[in-house]
C-alpha cells in the first residue's frame, strides 16, 4: 500500500505534474498517522490514500490530491495547521484547514456542532471549490467502509449523507457520486428494504435487459437511417431512486417499469432534437413526461432532453438525449469545466452554476440559529425544481411548491416586501398559487403594503423566508419600543412623576449606559418585549430615594423567585411567566419559553401547533425547565370516546380518575347520533405522569374506544 499507483496515474494524465509533492505529502501523512488504526483494524493511512484515489477519479489537480492525503492530519494527529502550511505552502494548508471539522470547541448539541462545521465548510468552499470536492471524496470512502461502526453511529452518518452530502454532489453535477452516496445511505438506513430491492432487481435484470436491447436495436437503426450519429446505451437506475419512487408513489416493485433508462449521446444539439423526433415517431410519448433541460439547464449545469414513451413491449421507457459534452458534464459535473485548469481555484461569482454557493453564504450569514441553518440547507440543497420566466424572458428556478412571493423576493427584496398580487401567463392568481413549469410571472406591488406572518406558511425559498422574518422582527421591535414607552409612562404617572422629564432627561442615557443599554430605544424595547417589568425599569431610571418604599406596592412575581409556578428560566433572565393556553403544558412535557410583548415569558410544549409561528424570531426563545417539586395543580382537558353508552360506564371512568388522586373540575357529557358517548373532562393534575396514569386506567374500562389529551 504505497503512493506509487497514484503517482503513475497522475503521470499518465499529466506528464509534467509535480509528483514529488505527492510523495512528500504521503510520507508526511504516513509519519504522523503511524500506529493509528481505523475501527476495522486497517492502518489509518489506508483512508487518506483511498480518498486521494477518489479525488484522482474526479480528475483534480496535484494540490487537491496532496490535500486529500493530508486532510485528517490536523484533526487526528499531533500535526498543527502551521506545520502543514510551513511544509506544503498556504494553498494546501488552506485546503486542509477547510476540511478540518470544528471539533475542539464546546457546543450544546450534536446538531449545533454539525451546523457550525457545515458553516466553516461553506466559507472554505466559497474561497476554493476544491474543499467540497475533497470532502465529498472523504465522505464517499467513509460510507464505503461504514460497516464496522455500531448501528446508531452508522445511521447518523448515513442520514447526514442523504440529507447534505448526496444533494451537494447533485448540486455539483457529479451524478455517479450522488447515486453511490444515496445507495450506500439506503443500505444503512433501510437495510431490509435495500437487500430485498437488490434481490428483486437481480432477478428481473436479465428480462429487463432483453427488452432494453430491443429498444436500442430499433432506435439505432432508425437514427442511422435518418443520418444521425449516436451512441445508445442502457442505464440501470440506482437503488435509491427506485426505492424513493416506490415510497413516494405508493407503488409495489412489480409496478415500477422503468428500472432501466436509455441514453442517446449525439454529436450536436441539432441531432438531439432530431433524435427526439425519431423516438416520438416510433413510440407514443407519455403526456407530461417531456422536459427540455437543454433550452433551460438545471442549476447544476445539467443539460439533456428527457422523454418517456411506451416501448415496443408496451412498457414505459425513459430516454435521455444529450451531446457528448453534455454527457461529460452530467457525469463529472463541475470537474468537467473546473476553473482550476485556468489557474484559479475560487468559484466565479458570475457563473450561474455557482449561484447556490452564494445562497449558502447568505444563509450562513443571516441564519444565526444553528438548527434553522441546518434545516434550511437540508431542505434547499436540491429540491425538485420548477422553471419560470420573468416578463423579460429571463429564466428563474424555484423549488417545487414555490409561490409568487418566492418569485418576488427572487427578483428583489423590495419587490417581495411590497408584493400584493401576481399574474401567471397574464391571468391574476392568488399569492398561494404554486408556480408551474413555463409560467410567465409578473408581480404586482404597492409601496404601502407589507408582508404578513401568514406568508411564512406559503413560501418555500430560504431567501423569502429570511427576508420576511427580518421584516417582521424589525416591525416587532418598533412596536415593542412604542409599547415599552407606554408602559413606562403609565408606571411613572402612577408614581406621580412626569414622563416627559424622566424619559427625556440626559440622565436617562447615562443611567442606561451604566446598565449596558446602547440606546434608550434598546431599553424601551426590553420593556416592551417583557424582558424587564415597568417597575424594574423605573428602578434603573430614578434615584433610590424617589422609588416607592418596600411594602407600599405589592411586589411582582418573577419566575426565578416563584417556585409555585413550577417553571425555572435557565440563565440570568428575570421575567414574568405564564403557561400558554394553546397547549397547556404539564410538568413532564418538554417545554420552551418565548418572550412576549409586555406579558413576560409564555411557556409552550415543544409539540405545540403554534410553535412554527413563534420560531420566526429565535431571539425571543428562552430555555426553561420544570422545577423539581412543582406545588400547583394544572388544568388539562381529556376526551373519552365510549363505543356504547352503557349504564355505569361514567361511574367507572370517574372512579378511575379519582383512584389516580385527580380532581374533576368540569365535565361535558353528550351522546352522538350514532349512539357513541363523547365526553370531555377538565382535570386538575400535578404532572404528566399522573395524567398518563389516569388515561391508562380509563383505556382499560370495557366500552371505552379511546382517550386523548386535548390541547387548547
Amino acid at each position: 500500500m504505497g503512493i506509487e499507483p497514484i503517482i503513475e496515474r497522475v503521470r499518465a494524465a499529466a506528464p509534467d505534474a509535480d509528483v514529488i509533492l505527492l510523495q512528500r505529502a504521503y510520507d508526511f501523512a504516513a509519519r504522523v498517522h503511524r500506529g493509528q488504526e481505523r475501527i476495522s483494524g486497517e492502518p489509518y493511512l489506508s483512508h487518506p490514500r483511498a480518498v486521494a484515489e477518489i479525488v484522482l477519479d474526479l480528475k483534480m489537480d496535484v494540490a487537491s490530491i496532496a490535500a486529500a492525503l493530508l486532510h485528517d492530519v490536523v484533526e487526528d494527529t499531533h500535526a498543527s495547521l502551521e506545520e502543514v502550511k510551513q511544509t506544503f505552502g498556504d494553498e494546501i494548508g488552506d485546503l486542509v484547514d477547510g476540511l478540518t471539522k470544528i471539533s475542539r470547541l464546546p457546543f450544546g448539541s450534536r446538531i449545533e456542532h454539525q451546523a457550525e462545521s457545515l458553516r466553516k465548510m461553506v466559507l472554505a468552499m466559497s474561497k476554493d471549490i476544491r474543499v467540497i470536492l475533497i470532502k465529498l471524496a472523504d465522505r464517499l470512502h467513509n460510507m464505503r467502509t461504514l460497516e464496522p461502526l455500531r448501528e446508531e453511529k452508522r445511521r447518523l452518518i448515513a442520514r447526514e449523507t442523504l440529507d447534505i452530502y448526496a444533494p451537494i454532489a447533485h448540486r455539483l453535477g457529479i451524478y455517479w457520486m450522488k447515486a453511490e452516496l444515496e445507495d450506500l445511505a439506503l443500505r444503512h438506513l433501510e437495510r431490509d428494504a435495500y437487500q430485498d430491492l437488490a434481490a428483486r432487481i437481480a432477478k428481473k435484470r436479465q428480462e429487463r435487459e432483453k427488452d432494453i436491447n430491443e429498444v436500442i436495436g430499433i432506435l439505432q437503426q432508425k437514427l442511422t437511417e435518418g443520418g444521425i450519429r449516436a451512441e445508445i446505451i442502457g442505464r440501470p437506475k440506482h437503488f435509491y431512486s427506485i426505492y424513493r419512487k416506490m415510497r413516494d408513489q405508493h407503488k409495489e416493485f412489480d409496478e415500477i417499469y422503468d428500472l432501466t433508462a436509455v441514453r442517446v449521446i449525439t454529436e450536436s444539439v441539432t441531432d438531439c432534437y432530431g433524435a427526439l423526433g425519431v423516438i416520438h415517431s416510433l413510440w407514443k410519448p407519455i403526456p407530461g413526461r417531456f422536459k427540455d433541460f437543454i433550452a433551460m439547464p438545471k442549476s447544476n449545469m445539467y443539460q439533456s432532453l428527457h422523454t418517456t414513451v411506451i416501448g415496443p413491449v408496451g412498457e414505459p421507457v425513459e430516454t435521455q438525449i444529450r451531446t457528448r459534452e453534455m454527457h461529460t458534464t452530467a457525469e463529472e459535473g463541475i470537474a468537467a469545466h473546473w476553473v482550476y485548469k485556468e489557474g484559479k481555484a475560487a468559484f466565479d461569482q458570475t457563473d450561474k452554476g455557482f449561484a447556490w454557493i452564494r445562497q449558502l453564504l447568505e444563509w450562513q450569514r443571516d441564519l444565526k440559529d444553528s438548527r434553522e441553518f441546518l434545516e434550511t440547507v437540508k431542505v434547499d440543497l436540491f429540491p425538485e425544481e420548477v422553471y419560470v420566466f420573468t416578463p423579460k424572458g429571463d429564466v428563474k428556478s424555484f423549488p417545487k411548491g414555490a409561490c409568487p412571493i418566492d418569485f418576488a423576493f427572487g427578483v428583489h427584496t423590495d419587490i417581495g416586501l411590497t408584493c400584493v398580487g401576481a399574474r401567471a401567463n397574464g391571468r391574476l392568481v392568488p399569492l398561494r398559487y404554486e408556480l408551474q413549469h413555463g409560467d410567465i410571472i409578473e408581480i404586482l406591488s404597492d409601496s404601502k403594503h407589507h408582508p404578513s406572518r401568514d406568508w411564512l406558511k406559503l413560501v418555500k425559498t430560504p431567501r423569502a423566508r429570511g427576508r420576511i422574518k427580518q421584516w417582521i422582527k424589525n416591525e416587532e421591535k418598533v412596536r415593542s419600543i412604542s409599547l415599552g414607552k407606554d408602559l413606562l409612562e403609565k408606571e411613572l404617572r402612577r408614581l406621580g412623576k412626569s414622563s416627559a422629564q424622566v424619559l427625556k432627561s440626559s440622565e436617562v442615557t447615562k443611567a442606561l449606559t451604566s446598565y449596558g443599554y446602547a440606546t434608550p430605544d434598546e431599553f424601551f424595547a426590553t420593556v416592551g418585549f417583557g424582558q424587564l417589568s415597568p417597575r424594574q425599569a423605573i428602578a434603573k431610571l430614578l434615584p433610590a430615594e424617589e422609588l416607592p418604599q418596600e411594602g407600599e406596592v405589592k411586589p411582582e412575581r418573577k419566575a426565578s423567585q416563584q417556585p409555585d409556578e413550577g417553571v425555572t428560566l435557565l440563565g440570568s433572565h428575570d421575567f414574568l411567566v405564564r403557561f400558554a393556553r394553546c397547549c397547556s403544558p404539564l410538568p413532564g412535557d418538554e417545554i420552551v419559553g418565548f418572550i412576549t410583548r409586555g406579558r413576560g415569558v409564555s411557556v409552550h410544549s415543544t409539540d405545540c401547533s403554534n410553535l412554527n409561528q413563534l420560531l420566526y424570531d429565535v431571539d425571543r426563545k428562552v430555555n426553561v425547565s420544570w422545577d423539581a417539586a412543582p406545588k400547583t395543580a394544572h388544568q388539562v382537558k381529556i376526551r373519552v370516546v365510549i363505543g356504547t353508552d352503557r349504564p355505569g360506564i361514567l361511574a367507572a371512568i370517574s372512579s378511575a380518575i379519582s383512584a389516580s388522586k385527580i380532581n374533576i373540575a368540569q365535565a361535558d357529557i353528550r351522546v352522538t347520533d350514532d349512539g357513541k358517548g363523547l365526553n370531555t373532562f377538565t382535570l386538575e393534575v400535578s404532572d404528566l405522569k399522573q395524567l398518563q396514569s389516569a388515561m391508562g386506567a380509563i383505556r382499560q374500562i370495557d366500552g371505552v374506544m379511546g382517550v386523548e389529551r386535548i390541547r387548547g
Side-chain angles (χ1 to χ4, degrees):
M1 185 185 66
I3 191 66
E4 291 77 16
I6 292 177
I7 288 177
E8 289 306 312
R9 285 182 61 190
V10 170
R11 278 184 174 143
D16 297 332
D18 183 6
V19 294
I20 296 176
L21 175 63
L22 295 181
Q23 185 68 59
R24 289 173 54 227
Y26 180 81
D27 292 343
F28 185 94
R31 176 171 58 81
V32 297
H33 283 300
R34 184 175 291 121
Q36 293 182 344
E37 291 184 347
R38 306 194 82 203
I39 293 178
S40 63
E42 294 178 286
Y44 193 88
L45 189 61
S46 64
H47 170 62
R49 186 188 179 285
V51 174
E53 287 188 325
I54 297 172
V55 167
L56 187 53
D57 291 338
L58 290 170
K59 302 179 181 177
M60 295 173 70
D61 60 348
V62 168
S64 301
I65 301 170
L69 291 167
L70 300 166
H71 77 275
D72 275 339
V73 299
V74 174
E75 189 173 336
D76 293 331
T77 78
H78 58 77
S80 67
L81 180 62
E82 290 71 23
E83 185 180 358
V84 172
K85 286 190 173 185
Q86 288 174 2
T87 307
F88 299 99
D90 287 344
E91 180 185 12
I92 292 175
D94 288 341
L95 288 173
V96 172
D97 184 32
L99 291 160
T100 302
K101 295 192 294 290
I102 301 177
S103 56
R104 295 172 185 171
L105 298 177
F107 291 104
S109 68
R110 183 186 63 82
I111 288 178
E112 189 176 341
H113 179 276
Q114 185 184 32
E116 295 312 307
S117 291
L118 184 59
R119 284 185 195 273
K120 180 182 178 184
M121 190 171 67
V122 167
L123 287 169
M125 76 181 188
S126 70
K127 298 173 184 175
D128 194 326
I129 196 66
R130 290 175 292 184
V131 168
I132 190 60
L133 292 167
I134 301 169
K135 182 61 185 176
L136 285 173
D138 175 38
R139 177 52 59 109
L140 179 57
H141 185 252
N142 281 332
M143 288 298 295
R144 286 173 177 175
T145 56
L146 210 54
E147 211 60 56
L149 299 180
R150 66 181 191 278
E151 183 180 4
E152 182 185 3
K153 184 72 171 177
R154 280 191 280 112
R155 291 182 64 84
L156 282 173
I157 295 172
R159 172 52 57 190
E160 183 183 53
T161 298
L162 201 57
D163 288 345
I164 295 176
Y165 291 99
I168 287 178
H170 197 153
R171 278 286 195 183
L172 292 170
I174 311 171
Y175 177 83
W176 68 268
M177 183 177 280
K178 166 190 176 283
E180 187 175 351
L181 287 171
E182 287 178 340
D183 283 354
L184 289 168
L186 178 64
R187 189 169 79 184
H188 294 286
L189 290 171
E190 300 288 346
R191 188 174 291 271
D192 291 343
Y194 178 89
Q195 291 174 346
D196 179 63
L197 202 56
R200 286 170 174 263
I201 290 173
K203 187 175 180 181
K204 202 169 181 179
R205 180 172 291 142
Q206 190 171 358
E207 171 193 340
R208 190 61 186 155
E209 284 180 355
K210 178 176 175 292
D211 295 340
I212 288 297
N213 287 336
E214 183 181 351
V215 170
I216 291 173
I218 295 171
L219 185 54
Q220 188 74 71
Q221 180 182 343
K222 291 297 182 182
L223 290 177
T224 302
E225 290 174 3
I228 298 174
R229 294 176 57 192
E231 177 188 358
I232 308 175
I233 53 178
R235 177 184 64 84
K237 285 197 168 183
H238 66 291
F239 290 4
Y240 183 72
S241 66
I242 298 170
Y243 167 81
R244 192 171 62 179
K245 180 173 284 190
M246 292 169 62
R247 181 196 64 193
D248 295 348
Q249 299 179 14
H250 306 290
K251 290 185 175 183
E252 296 296 325
F253 178 78
D254 292 335
E255 298 178 272
I256 306 294
Y257 296 110
D258 51 345
L259 297 177
T260 309
V262 172
R263 184 171 289 153
V264 180
I265 302 171
T266 70
E267 300 296 322
S268 67
V269 172
T270 302
D271 284 346
C272 287
Y273 290 99
L276 177 69
V278 170
I279 292 168
H280 283 183
S281 68
L282 282 170
W283 302 295
K284 188 175 182 178
I286 297 177
R289 295 295 299 273
F290 170 69
K291 293 179 181 177
D292 187 343
F293 294 118
I294 292 180
M296 291 187 292
K298 289 187 176 183
S299 56
N300 62 354
M301 302 179 287
Y302 175 88
Q303 288 182 286
S304 279
L305 299 177
H306 287 196
T307 187
T308 302
V309 297
I310 300 299
V313 296
E315 292 185 353
V317 177
E318 184 181 295
T319 307
Q320 300 170 350
I321 311 167
R322 59 179 70 144
T323 65
R324 178 68 58 185
E325 183 180 355
M326 292 173 191
H327 179 64
T328 302
T329 298
E331 291 300 301
E332 300 178 11
I334 192 173
H337 300 274
W338 208 24
V339 290
Y340 81 77
K341 294 174 181 176
E342 300 169 15
K344 298 181 295 179
F347 74 92
D348 186 350
Q349 293 277 355
T350 63
D351 192 331
K352 291 182 179 179
F354 295 103
W356 68 282
I357 298 182
R358 290 194 293 274
Q359 286 180 342
L360 286 178
L361 280 170
E362 282 186 24
W363 301 334
Q364 76 85 22
R365 280 195 301 264
D366 297 343
L367 302 177
K368 302 304 180 187
D369 181 74
S370 297
R371 187 181 295 271
E372 186 180 8
F373 170 69
L374 197 59
E375 287 305 312
T376 298
V377 172
K378 285 181 181 179
V379 169
D380 205 77
L381 260 175
F382 200 80
E384 188 176 347
E385 292 177 318
V386 293
Y387 295 85
V388 297
F389 296 91
T390 68
K392 293 182 179 180
D394 296 329
V395 179
K396 290 188 173 292
S397 64
F398 293 92
K400 189 174 182 180
C403 66
I405 302 170
D406 292 296
F407 180 92
F409 279 100
V411 174
H412 196 279
T413 297
D414 289 343
I415 294 176
L417 292 175
T418 57
C419 172
V420 293
R423 289 192 180 95
N425 309 313
R427 177 175 57 89
L428 281 172
V429 293
L431 292 179
R432 72 175 67 89
Y433 170 79
E434 288 193 10
L435 303 181
Q436 303 295 317
H437 277 298
D439 278 349
I440 301 173
I441 303 296
E442 180 186 356
I443 297 299
L444 309 176
S445 59
D446 182 346
S447 60
K448 297 178 182 178
H449 193 266
H450 298 294
S452 159
R453 186 171 293 140
D454 291 337
W455 285 12
L456 293 172
K457 301 175 184 177
L458 302 177
V459 296
K460 297 294 182 183
T461 58
R463 178 182 178 86
R465 185 175 300 277
R467 297 298 185 268
I468 294 167
K469 285 182 178 180
Q470 187 62 46
W471 188 89
I472 292 173
K473 185 176 179 179
N474 290 339
E475 282 297 296
E476 291 284 338
K477 185 172 183 180
V478 170
R479 292 174 190 165
S480 294
I481 290 170
S482 176
L483 177 60
K485 285 181 179 178
D486 290 343
L487 291 171
L488 287 174
E489 288 174 356
K490 182 179 178 181
E491 182 67 15
L492 285 167
R493 284 197 300 271
R494 199 174 67 81
L495 296 175
K497 302 292 182 181
S498 167
S499 59
Q501 291 180 356
V502 174
L503 297 181
K504 294 181 181 179
S505 166
S506 60
E507 296 299 315
V508 171
T509 303
K510 293 180 183 178
L512 298 185
T513 301
S514 66
Y515 285 111
Y517 295 99
T519 64
D521 278 351
E522 185 180 317
F523 176 68
F524 297 143
T526 303
V527 177
F529 274 140
Q531 293 172 295
L532 200 64
S533 73
R535 191 166 299 122
Q536 292 165 339
I538 295 299
K540 297 182 183 295
L541 299 179
L542 295 177
E545 60 270 15
E546 295 187 30
L547 294 172
Q549 297 301 308
E550 188 175 350
E552 292 180 10
V553 182
K554 183 180 178 181
E556 295 190 36
R557 298 198 307 171
K558 297 176 288 185
S560 57
Q561 298 176 355
Q562 188 65 33
D564 288 345
E565 290 287 2
V567 170
T568 299
L569 274 66
L570 307 182
S572 59
H573 306 293
D574 194 15
F575 304 154
L576 305 176
V577 67
R578 65 186 182 86
F579 296 106
R581 292 181 180 178
C582 53
C583 55
S584 302
L586 292 175
D589 283 329
E590 292 187 17
I591 53 174
V592 64
F594 287 91
I595 300 170
T596 59
R597 295 196 311 277
R599 294 180 295 165
V601 169
S602 175
V603 178
H604 296 254
S605 62
T606 55
D607 59 356
C608 177
S609 59
N610 290 328
L611 211 56
N612 286 336
Q613 295 182 23
L614 295 168
L615 282 170
Y616 76 91
D617 189 351
V618 295
D619 291 342
R620 292 193 174 200
K621 179 181 172 183
V622 293
N623 292 323
V624 293
S625 67
W626 294 105
D627 285 342
K631 299 177 182 178
T632 55
H634 296 257
Q635 287 198 349
V636 63
K637 290 182 180 181
I638 64 169
R639 182 182 292 117
V640 181
V641 181
I642 302 172
T644 53
D645 193 16
R646 64 174 175 82
I649 193 168
L650 287 176
I653 293 172
S654 178
S655 296
I657 294 172
S658 298
S660 299
K661 299 181 179 180
I662 295 174
N663 181 50
I664 300 176
Q666 186 177 344
D668 178 22
I669 313 298
R670 65 189 181 91
V671 179
T672 62
D673 293 339
D674 58 359
K676 293 179 181 177
L678 197 61
N679 310 311
T680 303
F681 298 93
T682 302
L683 309 179
E684 293 181 344
V685 301
S686 60
D687 57 25
L688 181 63
K689 186 177 180 181
Q690 189 183 29
L691 174 65
Q692 290 174 337
S693 175
M695 292 173 67
I698 295 171
R699 288 190 183 98
Q700 302 302 314
I701 298 172
D702 185 32
V704 172
M705 294 179 63
V707 186
E708 64 176 340
R709 179 178 170 185
I710 301 174
R711 301 283 192 175

